[in-house]
Amino acid sequence: MRRTGGTARRRVIEAVAALCVSGALLAFLASGLGPVPPLGQALDPGTGVWASAEDAAGVRSETLRLPGLRGPVTVSFSPAGVPTVAAGSDGDLFEALGYTHARFRLTQMDLQRRLGSGRMAELVGPAGVESDKFQLQLGLLRTAEAQWAATPHDSESAVALLAYARGVNAWIGQARAAHRRPALFSLTGVHPADWTPVDSLVVQGVLTENTSFTTGPLALSILQRSLGERHTREWFPVLPPNAQRPYDPGPYEKAVSKPAAAGRAPAVRDDGATAATADRTALAWIAAQAGGSAGSQRNSNAWAVNGPLAAGGRAMLAGDPHLPHTLPSYWFQAALRSPGYSVTGFTLPGMPAVLIGRNEHISWTVTNAQTQSTFYYREVTDPHRPGEYYWRGAWRRMERLTYAIPVRGGAPVRLTVDLTVHGPVMTQLGQTMSVYWTGATGSPSLTAILSVARARDFDGFTAALRDWHSPAQNFVYADDAGNIGAVAAGHFPIVASGEPWLPLPGTGAADVTGMVPYEAAPRVYNPPDHMVVSANDRPVGAGYPYYLGPSTGFDPGYRTRRIRDYLGSRRAMTKDDFTALQHDVTDGLAIRIVPRLLDALRDDRLTPAEREARAQLAAWQGAMDPDSGAAAVWWTFWNAYLTAVFQPWWTAGKVPVHLDPGRLAISASQTTLSGSLESWTLRDQDNAAFTPPRGRARTAREVMRAAFHRAIADLSARLGPSPQSWAWGRVHSVSFPSLTGAPGLGYGPLPAGGDPQTVNAAGGDMSSVFGPSMRMVVNWVGESRSDDATAYPGGQSENPGSPWYRNLLAEWLSGRYRPLPVPGAGSSPVTWTLSAGREDG
Amino acid sequence: MTELATPVGAGAQAPRAFAVTGQRAVAWACTVVAGVAAVWAGSLLGWWWSPFACGLVVGFAARPLRCRRRSAIAAAALIALAGWGLPLLWRVLDGEPVGAAARTAAALAGLPPAPVLVVSATMLTAVCQSLAGAWLGWALGVDRPPADQGESNAQADQDGSTAPGDPSEA
C-alpha cells in the first residue's frame, strides 16, 4: 500500500510539474516576455517570419481579384521592379497603386502612420511612449482627422484616398488570410490594421513634420540668453550674412499688412529665469522627440534651363531632393495611366500621388522652402486659474484632450494634451509653451499635387499649387514647350508683431494674422538668364517685403552658387551635363576660402606635414573626392576654424549645447555661422568676433593659422603623419540604415565624397546618413517627348530578402541612371492582372 | 498513432520477439510520419502549438500502449523537428530565400544577422513544445492494466517501461 501510495503521489507531482512547465512554455510562446516576442507564432514555419520568404522570392505574373474595381487593371513590372499601372478609371488607378504600395511597402506605411498617430509603443513597447506622447501633442492625427472630415467625399482627392485605401486593404486582407505578413509584424505579433484615408493624411503629415517642423526659435532664444542679444543678432541674422543669388530677385509688390487686435495683458510671471527654463525644457523635449535638430537638414537641389542653355532649345529639369538615407528608400517609383492621369515619377508609399515627376507636358521637382513654419508662444497663465490662459484681453479655458497610448507588453499610458488658440501646449515647466505650426492647420496638398499631375502649362501648374499649404516647397518646373519656372508654394505666416524667430508672447499681440498672398510668393518664369536654381537658399532678395524666416533656416547658398556657375559656363547642355552636375562634389566655400588660408600661411613656420598639406591645398580645385587628401585637410581646417573663432564665446556664455547639438553646437552644419565666418574672412578680417572674450586681439589671419596647425595635428593623429596617405574617404562615409533601425539590414558605411555644401551633398556628420533620396533629369526633346534619367538609392521592395531590396543602390553609388518608366508603355514579362471581385486569399 | 506494445508472454521465443520488434518499429515510424504530417498541416494553418499537441498525444498514448518512455520522447522530438523543418526545406526547394528571411528576422530581433540563429530557435521552439507535450501526456496517461503480472513483468523487462506500481519509475 505504501509503495502504491508513493507512486501515485509521485505521479501527481509529475503531472503537476508537467502541467506547470507546459503552461509556462505555451504562455511564453504565445505572449512573449519582456523584449522577447511571441515566438510560437513568430517562428511558425508556415505563417511566421518564414512566410516573408515567399514575398522575397520575387514577383511573378498573377491574376488577382480586388473588391471595388470597375474594370481590369494591369500592373507591369520592369526588371528593376518599377511598376507601370494602367487602369480604365482614376479610381481603379489609385486602388491598384494602393495595392502595389502595400505589397511592397506595408511595413514602411504602417511605421509612418504609427509614428504620426502616436501608436509606436503598440509595436515597439515602452521605448516608443515618448515619441507617441510628442506626436499626439503635436497633433498630426488630429489634423488628419479634421482634414478628412472637411474633405467633400465626392472630391477628387477623397475619391483617390478612398480607392487607395481599398487597394491597401485588399492586400492586408490577402496577407492576413494567407499569413503573408512582413517579417516585422510576424515577429512582434502586432499586425497592421486596415488602412483609412486618415492614415494617408497622417503619412502626409509625417513628411510635413520632417521637412518643416523646427526647434529654431527655441534654439535662437537660448543662444541669445547665452551669447547676448548683440552677438546673436550679428552671428545669426535674419537676412543672410553672405552674398546670395535667389531665384526671385524682385522687384516685389508692397506687403499687405494686417494688424492684429490684442487686449491688454495682465502682469505675468515672465522673468528671465522662468523663460529660460521654459526654452530649455521645450528645446530638450522637442529636439529629443522630433529626431534631434528638427528641420535642420537642408540639401535638396533643383534647377532648370531653357533656350540656348538646353540642347535642342527646349527645356531641361533636374531634381534631387535630399532626405535621410534608408533602405528601402523613402520613395516608390511608378508610372500611372488612366483617363485622368498620365504621369510617371516618385510616389510616397501611403499617398495616392506622384509627388515628383512628369506628365505628358510638364515636369516638376521640389526643394524644401526652409521658410519658418513653426512659431512658439509663451502663454500667460496663472497658478490660481488652472487650465486657463490669457489671450486678447480675457482668460480662456484650454481645450483638453486625453489619449490612451497602447503599449506592447505594458499597460496603456494616459496622456493629456492642452490646446490654446495657438496650438498644443508642448511643455509647462517655467512657462507654458505652445506651438503654432503650419503643418497642424491642414493642407489640401493631395488635391494640389493631383492637379499638378494633370497640368499642361505653367499657369495650370501654379494654379494647382495655390492649394498647397504645407510643407512649403519650391516647385521647380520645365515643360515641353521650352518654358521653365519656379514657385514657392505653401503658407508663409504673417505675424502681427514681435520677433517671430524667437518665442512670442501668447497674449494675442504676436499672433499669426494671415498668410503671404499666393500672388506675392516667390516666383520666377522664363528668367532672362535661362536658368532657375533652387537649393534651399532664401528664394528672394533682401527687399522682399514679407518675413519668411531667419537666415538660420536657409541654406547659405553655396550649392546654388556652384550650380549657377556651372550652368552659366555652358551652352546647349545635354542630359549628361545635368547628371554630371548632380554628382559634382566641388565645395564652393572652399574655393573662396582656401586662397585666403594659403595667404595666411605664406609667412608662417610650418612642420613638414603642414608644408605637405599646404601644397596639397594649393594644387586642389575644391573637389571633395573620397581619395582627396586636400579635401580632408580643408574640412578639418574649416571646422577647426569655426571652433577657434566661436568656441571661446560659447564657453564664456555657457551655451547648453547638449540640449540640441544640431542647433547649438559649433560645426559646419551651423550654416549661418559658416556664412558669417565666410563673410568676415573675405571682407572683414578684423571683425571683433575673432578676439575672444577677455582675450588679446586676434585677426582672421591669426586664427586661420592656429586652426590649420590644429587640423594637421588632428589628421596626423587620426590618419598617420604623412599627408600623402590622407584621404577624405578615410574620415568621411555614407551609410544606408534600414528603415526599421535593425543594424544588420542596412548597407555601409562606405567611403564617400561630398560634404553638406556640395551639390552631391552628404548631410550630417562624418558618418553621413542624409543625401539625395533620388535623382531625376527630364530633358524635353519635343512635344510630349522627353528623354529622362533617374537614379534611386535602394530598391522598390522593403523585404531585405527580395532581389529588389537594394538592387538600384549600386547604380546610384556609381552614378548610373535609368529612364523613367513611360505610362502605359508596352508589355512586361511580369504583369499582375487585377479585376473586380472578392479579394483573393 | 504511437508505438504499439505487443503483449509478449514471459516465455516468448526469440523469433517472435524479433517479429514484435519489427512491428513496433513500423508502428513507431507510422506514428512519426502521421505526427509530422499533422504538425506540418498545423503550421500552414497558423497552429503554432501543433508540436505541443502532437507531443501531448504521443505522450498520452504511450503509456496505455506500453511504449517505452525514451521511444515516446524520440518520436515527439522527431515529429517536431521534421514537422517544422520540412516546411522550411520545402520553401528552400521552392526557391524562397529562407536564409535571407532568417537573417532579416534575426536583425529585427536585435540578434546578429546570422540565419543559423533563427533556424535553431525555430527548431528549438518546436522541440521544446513537443517534449513538454509528451511529458505532460505521459504524466497524465493511464497505464493499461496488465493481463497478468507475468505479462507486465515481461514487458517491463523487455522494453524498460515501467509496470504499474513500479516504484523504480523515474
Side-chain angles (χ1 to χ4, degrees), chain B residues 6 11-12 36 61-62 75 80 84 101 112 114 120 130 147 149-150 161 163 168:
Chain B
T6 305
V36 168
W84 274 25
S120 301
S130 190
Q149 189 61 40
S161 70
S168 66

Side-chain angles (χ1 to χ4, degrees), chain A residues 285-335:
Chain A
W285 162 245
I286 296 169
Q289 302 315 320
S293 315
S296 65
Q297 297 282 9
R298 48 182 93 77
N299 297 114
S300 302
N301 303 306
W303 64 85
V305 300
N306 67 352
L309 298 193
R314 289 185 184 258
M316 190 157 54
L317 172 86
D320 53 301
H322 295 207
L323 290 168
H325 287 311
T326 56
L327 287 178
S329 168
Y330 208 73
W331 304 103
F332 185 87
Q333 211 175 339

